Amino acid sequence: AKRHTVMADGTYMGHGWCLITAIDGESGEVLAFQWCAHASKAAYLALFSGISAPDVLITDGLRGAEAACLEAWPGTRIQRCLAHVQRNTRTDLTSRPRLQAGRELKNRRWEIKNPPALVTGVETAEEAVGWSEALNAWHERWKGFIAERTFARDDPANPKASRRVWRWTHEELRRCYR
């Protein structure tokens, strides 16, 4: 049967096993499951092989599910699971961000009219537009700050200082915005 939305995610069990499941996004019915060592592209391909292509796949944003979806269901759109977005954001920002940009992103003190505080609070198209505009405005405001890089050679305490190695100075904020 053709489904509008399918949600797929893996749960790691004891003894090194992972159970990935596909659930109908509207009814909650379990459509298929797959045991695997880890949630890889191959495991998701095996899971998706018995399910007809939905309009939208909702997943945690890891590469295995996305790559398998693109191969198994090329016309299906991919939506990142909002609960995973919030969980990753909390992890990356911590409960008490030290930098002003992080505090603004965490507290969602955006200068537009009434966006929902949490992305999971979005219920209408207007709220979705407002929330997206607010996030984009935050990114525009802080894009120079987020793009800053630190070179190893500039840090005398770094043992690799002689190499031309760099990393994003604000890597956590960049990950969160993604």
Side-chain angles (χ1 to χ4, degrees), residues 19-75:
L19 176 65
I20 53 175
T21 56
I23 299 170
D24 183 296
E26 294 173 16
S27 69
E29 171 191 359
V30 175
L31 304 174
F33 64 90
Q34 178 71 39
W35 286 101
C36 54
H38 53 82
S40 64
K41 177 183 172 183
Y44 276 102
L45 278 171
L47 177 73
F48 296 160
S49 67
I51 305 169
S52 61
D55 297 322
V56 179
L57 172 67
I58 302 168
T59 187
D60 56 11
L62 296 178
R63 299 283 181 228
E66 291 181 17
C69 179
L70 292 172
E71 187 174 316
W73 304 326

Side-chain angles (χ1 to χ4, degrees), residues 110 129-142 177:
W110 295 326
V129 168
W131 201 89
S132 297
E133 287 174 349
L135 181 60
N136 288 334
W138 175 88
H139 188 262
E140 276 300 309
R141 177 177 172 174
W142 293 102
Y177 179 71

